[in-house]
Amino acid sequence: MSAGKALLLEGIHPDATPVLEAAGLEVVSHPGALGDHDLDVALDGAAVVGLRSKSRLTPALLDRHPQLLAVGCFCIGTDQLDLRDAAKRGLAVFNAPFSNTRSVAELTIAEIVALHRRLGDRSRELHEGVWRKTASGAHEVRGRTLGIIGYGHIGSQISVLAEAFGMRVVFHDTQPKLALGNAQPATSLDELLATSDVVSLHVPDEPSTRGLLGAAELAKMKPGAMLINNARGKVVDLDALADAIRSGRVGGAAVDVYPHEPKRNDDPFETPLAGLPNVILTPHIGGSTEEAQAAIARDAATKLARYLVEGSTRTSVSVPEVDLPSLHPDRHRILHFHRNVPGVLGRLHTMLADLDANITAEYLQSDPEVSYVILDIETTDVEPVRAKLDEIPETIRVRALF
Ligand code: NAI
């Protein structure tokens, strides 16, 4: 029996399809985003929708499709819909935040070498017909120190790859982190800035990281050291960086992310770094590889499939997270989202007792507004149980698996 339709928009990589089909879904794919009306029509009967950055799921649209169980954002960002509103509907939203880790790490490694050899300048000169063969200002990276700010998924991958190149690695993170290989935690951000030949940023965009590197911090860098920002645009003050490069204090930079980025390809773009020496500018492509797209497709589709088949909401960005074991073949599983107010669980248990349904396992996770309770039960017929729980006024959504 089909578990329903999975509507995939915006040319999601085909690696998602077999994963969703294995969960019993019938996959319908569209190469682009759909306008409001076409999206409304396409969502008819959909249990799952997968989208990327160009689609919007408004509350009005979701009101018209209460059958929708889950949304897959096949990307990093999740601003295609209001996550609090989704939670209140019991709509599980998933994304794929770490599928492009390797792509960003590889670009960063390439840039560390390119900046040390001034490849951007040499290439531009030859494009302009200028032959300038010189060893001046060109360095091997072996033996040099890389300072990584933010030692998470990406930062720690870079650490391993850079050591394989013979670099010394120091890092700074606000959380305690296991140092990989021979990397060393710096005693402070200032120490990292003062000792690194190249500093690479891999922190998230948060109030505490905005402006993390401004004029004062750039002035603490080793003279001539280089800076890479493949994290988020607001982390570095680009005017201060441009001044530091012009004065020679900073020896070069690679930047992939900007405080204001164009919405569409070919839109105009300006940055204070344009035209400066030994500066590599890329249009937010750090995570943009075909391999990352395939990995995103598999990751997001797997999360959707697990939710459909087992009820697991692990890594959901909307509803409380519960990691569930597979359903025992002799049991039924009730998945119940309800408003988080006192007394609901008690009533739920009484109802199950009245229906003679024995609970073999129970899982619960709540946020201040929404609770998600999962009950594995022994009963001959699960439908009366599901229907009864649907009558609880605080019920947001109830689903039965068998
Ligand atoms: P992550 O969450 O695994 O690691 C971030 C690390 O930064 C964490 O260890 C955290 O403790 C640390 N951190 C937070 N605030 C800090 C601070 N003030 N100082 C020092 N460390 C701090 O994230 P992941 O996957 O490594 O990605 C890092 C960032 O890279 C993302 O947040 C995203 O903004 C960016 N990114 C950029 C891409 C691109 O296309 N250029 C693609 C993917 C991610």
Side-chain angles (χ1 to χ4, degrees):
M1 191 183 73
S2 167
K5 179 168 85 174
L7 174 67
L8 299 186
L9 304 169
E10 302 188 55
I12 285 169
H13 193 281
D15 276 14
T17 300
V19 180
L20 296 170
E21 285 177 345
L25 289 156
E26 178 206 335
V27 176
V28 177
S29 296
H30 287 263
L34 297 178
D36 285 351
H37 174 72
D38 291 345
L39 181 54
D40 196 2
V41 173
L43 279 170
D44 271 343
V48 164
V49 60
L51 31 79
R52 294 172 65 193
S53 59
K54 293 196 180 77
S55 303
R56 288 287 169 274
L57 294 173
T58 59
L61 199 56
L62 295 175
D63 282 345
R64 287 198 291 280
H65 297 283
Q67 85 290 346
L68 200 59
L69 297 173
V71 176
C73 300
F74 283 69
C75 49
I76 317 296
T78 51
D79 53 5
Q80 299 86 339
L81 75 168
D82 177 340
L83 297 180
R84 278 321 303 161
D85 176 69
K88 288 180 193 162
R89 297 169 188 272
L91 186 60
V93 181
F94 299 94
N95 65 343
F98 303 119
S99 303
N100 57 12
T101 297
R102 182 67 181 206
S103 301
V104 182
E106 287 191 10
L107 178 71
T108 305
I109 290 292
E111 289 171 341
I112 291 170
V113 177
L115 289 173
H116 276 84
R117 302 296 292 273
R118 308 186 74 93
L119 286 192
D121 292 356
R122 295 294 89 82
S123 174
R124 189 169 50 221
E125 287 155 9
L126 270 200
H127 278 283
E128 291 165 358
V130 178
W131 181 270
R132 188 169 293 149
K133 179 175 159 65
T134 173
S136 172
H139 298 279
E140 293 183 354
V141 300
R142 179 171 48 168
R144 296 207 147 214
T145 300
L146 166 66
I148 299 173
I149 304 177
Y151 203 66
H153 288 78
I154 296 172
S156 56
Q157 279 268 330
I158 292 168
S159 171
V160 173
L161 297 173
E163 282 199 340
F165 267 57
M167 296 191 84
R168 186 179 155 257
V169 175
V170 293
F171 65 88
H172 167 72
D173 200 293
T174 43
Q175 302 298 318
K177 293 282 169 173
L178 177 71
L180 299 182
N182 298 315
Q184 294 286 331
T187 53
S188 64
L189 178 59
D190 282 0
E191 191 212 41
L192 179 144
L193 294 172
T195 55
S196 300
D197 296 296
V198 53
V199 172
S200 195
L201 286 154
H202 302 285
V203 293
D205 179 32
E206 285 170 0
S208 65
T209 59
R210 294 198 187 127
L212 189 65
L213 256 69
E217 291 73 25
L218 293 168
K220 291 174 186 163
M221 283 173 64
K222 213 167 152 175
M226 290 164 276
L227 181 71
I228 298 177
N229 183 14
N230 291 338
R232 281 293 176 263
K234 296 196 171 96
V235 174
V236 177
D237 177 341
L238 289 189
D239 289 315
L241 178 60
D243 285 345
I245 291 170
R246 266 191 292 268
S247 73
R249 173 82 210 179
V250 168
V255 178
D256 189 44
V257 287
Y258 308 87
H260 305 288
E261 297 183 1
K263 290 253 180 302
R264 283 174 297 275
N265 281 349
D266 300 327
D267 278 358
F269 173 70
E270 284 181 8
T271 170
L273 300 173
L276 293 179
N278 206 23
V279 172
I280 299 169
L281 301 178
T282 47
H284 203 149
I285 51 156
S288 306
T289 62
E290 294 184 13
E291 288 78 7
Q293 289 307 316
I296 286 170
R298 289 191 296 270
D299 185 24
T302 302
K303 291 171 179 174
L304 290 169
R306 278 200 72 199
Y307 177 60
L308 264 275
V309 174
E310 293 170 0
S312 174
T313 51
R314 203 169 96 74
T315 75
S316 172
V317 290
S318 59
V319 294
E321 283 189 55
V322 183
D323 196 6
L324 295 167
S326 300
L327 179 58
H328 190 283
D330 299 336
R331 309 270 154 77
H332 299 277
R333 180 169 283 172
I334 296 283
L335 311 167
H336 188 256
F337 286 104
H338 59 264
R339 285 191 287 117
N340 185 9
V341 294
V344 179
L345 278 183
R347 267 180 285 155
L348 206 134
H349 288 144
T350 310
M351 279 182 173
L352 287 173
D354 291 346
L355 288 165
D356 217 16
N358 183 40
I359 300 173
T360 59
E362 179 167 344
Y363 313 85
L364 169 74
Q365 204 56 257
S366 299
D367 67 26
E369 288 175 288
V370 176
S371 288
Y372 183 34
V373 63
I374 301 96
L375 302 160
D376 288 356
I377 57 173
E378 286 173 328
T379 183
T380 45
D381 188 3
V382 77
E383 180 47 29
V385 180
R386 195 205 61 76
K388 198 80 188 149
L389 298 188
D390 218 6
E391 289 172 11
I392 298 177
E394 291 83 2
T395 294
I396 296 172
R397 184 195 287 283
V398 56
R399 192 156 68 95
L401 302 176
F402 43 87

